[in-house]
Amino acid sequence: MTDAALDPDAPLGHWDARHREQDELAAGGHPDLDRPGNELFYALRLGTLLTLVGDLHSPAAPLFVLDAGCGSGYFARALDRCGHRVDAIDASQEAIDRARAAGDGPRYTRARLDEWRSPWQYDIVLCVDVLFHLPDDTEWAAALRNLASLVRLTGRLIVTDADTPVPRARDGRIRHRPTDGYRAALEPLGLRHTEFRPYGFRETETGFHVFTRIR
């Protein structure tokens, strides 16, 4: 067994290099798109996300949001500008450094999806284009369970993946799980699947799965 196989942080080298060597949109966007394409890709996802989050806050009672796997902080900063109170985590130190350098707003912390703990639960837990980058099923399930534990009653867990009936793997780094797999993992934890909203961007089959805590 190689040292890389023994090191749980070894895959982070890919993401550290990506955030170090590429601009903020390419690092967390679609690697095959040019900058204008990624501008559109981010804008479309953000518009859909803001619709799903809704306008349920007030200055006296902002929504508490966790952006899990925040990358360079694009969505975290946008939600902060909309008046929400945002925690943002990523396992890549390069990503966190870049997010912090972009300015004040969200509270950024380096943490894996399966290890983040919070003294409070969140109204919204968001995880955009991250879970399908966890090809190991055990790691995926641990991350999903932890994110679910952070959602308050009537709150929402919003994760992105393809709406596929069967698992599909691509290029060794991506594994799309079936929608029923998400339901099977989350319904026993008290979260009901309430919506799938596709990105509607070019050929991508990925979209937002919305789970609402009902108990």
Side-chain angles (χ1 to χ4, degrees):
M1 186 176 293
T2 65
D3 290 342
L6 292 169
D7 181 4
D9 289 333
L12 289 177
H14 166 79
W15 292 105
D16 282 337
R18 189 160 161 171
H19 284 285
R20 183 170 56 249
E21 297 166 4
Q22 301 183 21
D23 69 48
E24 65 173 354
L25 295 184
H30 197 298
D32 297 330
L33 296 176
D34 57 14
R35 186 173 180 84
N38 266 315
E39 288 276 9
L40 178 58
F41 187 37
Y42 269 93
L44 285 172
R45 286 182 294 170
L46 177 60
T48 302
L49 174 61
L50 292 177
T51 300
L52 293 173
V53 170
D55 185 25
L56 303 177
H57 77 289
S58 70
L63 290 180
F64 286 89
V65 179
L66 174 66
D67 184 358
C70 65
S72 57
Y74 179 95
F75 296 112
R77 289 191 297 275
L79 290 165
D80 176 80
R81 289 194 300 270
C82 290
H84 304 302
R85 190 168 172 183
V86 183
D87 285 342
I89 64 170
D90 201 282
S92 167
Q93 187 62 54
E94 292 283 346
I96 291 298
D97 290 345
R98 173 169 277 186
R100 288 173 176 162
D104 295 333
R107 183 179 70 169
Y108 296 105
T109 306
R110 184 190 180 195
R112 292 162 53 99
L113 301 185
D114 61 350
E115 70 181 10
W116 176 247
R117 303 293 183 266
S118 171
W120 51 76
Q121 289 185 306
Y122 296 93
D123 300 291
I124 303 289
V125 174
L126 168 69
C127 190
V128 177
D129 291 0
V130 179
L131 288 170
F132 55 71
H133 284 292
L134 302 178
D136 181 81
D137 286 335
T138 301
E139 184 181 3
W140 170 82
L144 193 60
R145 284 195 302 268
N146 190 52
L147 296 181
S149 74
L150 299 167
V151 180
R152 70 163 177 82
L153 186 63
T154 73
R156 278 163 282 176
L157 172 63
I158 302 175
V159 301
T160 65
D161 208 326
D163 186 20
T164 177
V166 295
R168 289 190 289 111
R170 291 193 290 122
D171 67 29
R173 291 188 180 275
I174 292 176
R175 181 173 174 80
H176 293 291
R177 273 83 179 186
T179 304
D180 283 346
Y182 280 92
R183 290 193 180 101
L186 293 171
E187 286 180 356
L189 304 178
L191 288 96
R192 182 177 63 198
H193 189 253
T194 50
E195 185 174 0
F196 174 74
R197 189 81 63 91
Y199 289 165
F201 180 73
R202 299 187 183 178
E203 77 287 353
T204 184
E205 299 175 2
T206 304
F208 294 95
H209 287 282
V210 183
F211 292 85
T212 302
R213 180 171 290 287
I214 59 173
R215 58 176 172 81

